Amino acid sequence: MNVVCRACNTILSSHFTSSRNPKAQHRPRPFVVHEAVVMASLMSGMGPYSFNSFCEYMEMPGLHQKTFNKFAKRIYSQNERLGDRIFREAAALVRQEHMRQFHLNLDDDSLLDISVSFDGSWLTRGHKSLIGIGCVIDVLTGLIIDGHVMSLHCHVCARTGTWVKRETPQRYEHWLEEHVRSGECTVNFEGSSGMMEVQAAVVLWSRSA
């Protein structure tokens, strides 16, 4: 926010209206408003180009595509770490409850045999959903101890990729190769939506001890 003299256009005072995130591990620490607008854009289905178009119509400054994607990558990483922590806590609670109910005395490194059920769901009803999930559920406690998302859709491909393909078709193939190579593409499944549940079960059981 700038305070400007109308007579000579001298900037009398200048300061940021948004504070920096004190908990951020990156330096320099990002402004809270940047993290908030990127999160809001992702939740509402907007990529960097749609977000900047919105800012342009509102006569507001936007974010460079690389800056937007950098914030988006951080948000996705934070969500993955949060999910991993929740699953670890759930597994610890399941272990404690089994040991308590069945009077078991096991070391922390000892394997514990438990009864589980498996269930799958999709983002939308029917058999045309682009995203599905499989969950492993402890029968005794009802807690979900692991899950895996199957996706036929990538938000960056759908938004940024579509824009690049339309505006500069000659760059699209190169852009797509870099996008897939970066590991940021969320498409991890090929096949029908109905087979997502089966494939999720294969993935979950293959990584279970």
Side-chain angles (χ1 to χ4, degrees):
M1 179 178 292
N2 295 329
V3 178
V4 183
C5 175
R6 291 184 177 179
C8 62
N9 291 326
T10 301
I11 298 178
L12 304 177
S13 176
S14 178
H15 68 277
F16 294 108
T17 57
S18 175
S19 60
R20 293 186 180 274
N21 185 352
K23 298 181 180 179
Q25 299 178 353
H26 303 276
R27 299 293 186 276
R29 290 188 174 95
F31 289 103
V32 174
V33 65
H34 287 165
E35 296 178 319
V37 296
V38 172
M39 173 64 84
S41 299
L42 296 174
M43 294 297 290
S44 60
M46 288 194 297
Y49 295 103
S50 299
F51 168 73
N52 282 318
S53 296
F54 172 80
C55 291
E56 182 179 354
Y57 283 112
M58 296 296 293
E59 297 184 354
M60 299 186 306
L63 291 173
H64 191 275
Q65 174 195 348
K66 290 185 177 179
T67 304
F68 185 99
N69 289 334
K70 179 176 65 177
F71 280 111
K73 188 175 181 179
R74 290 179 187 174
I75 291 172
Y76 291 144
S77 297
Q78 291 170 0
N79 288 341
E80 288 179 359
R81 289 196 297 271
L82 176 61
D84 291 340
R85 192 188 76 187
I86 291 174
F87 283 137
R88 287 196 302 271
E89 293 177 354
L93 290 173
V94 168
R95 187 180 185 86
Q96 292 175 7
E97 188 62 19
H98 275 264
M99 292 175 64
R100 186 186 69 83
Q101 291 232 12
F102 299 108
H103 308 289
L104 301 175
N105 186 14
L106 300 174
D107 298 331
D108 292 339
D109 297 331
S110 300
L111 295 180
L112 176 65
D113 290 329
I114 62 175
S115 298
V116 299
S117 63
F118 173 81
D119 195 12
S121 185
W122 290 264
L123 181 63
T124 57
R125 299 181 67 179
H127 297 284
K128 296 183 179 180
S129 178
L130 298 178
I131 298 176
I133 185 172
C135 298
V136 177
I137 307 165
D138 174 54
V139 173
L140 180 64
T141 63
L143 293 175
I144 297 175
I145 57 177
D146 202 359
H148 186 71
V149 176
M150 308 300 301
S151 177
L152 289 163
H153 174 77
C154 175
H155 183 78
V156 178
C157 290
R159 298 294 180 176
T160 306
T162 301
W163 185 91
V164 172
K165 191 173 185 179
R166 182 179 68 248
E167 298 296 327
T168 53
Q170 64 277 11
R171 288 184 53 232
Y172 176 72
E173 293 299 330
H174 178 67
W175 175 90
L176 183 61
E177 289 180 5
E178 288 189 344
H179 173 58
V180 174
R181 193 182 308 117
S182 69
E184 297 177 358
C185 186
T186 58
V187 175
N188 61 359
F189 176 73
E190 294 182 0
S192 64
S193 299
M195 289 299 296
M196 286 181 174
E197 188 175 22
V198 177
Q199 185 60 34
V202 172
V203 172
L204 289 170
W205 257 261
S206 65
R207 70 188 184 200
S208 63

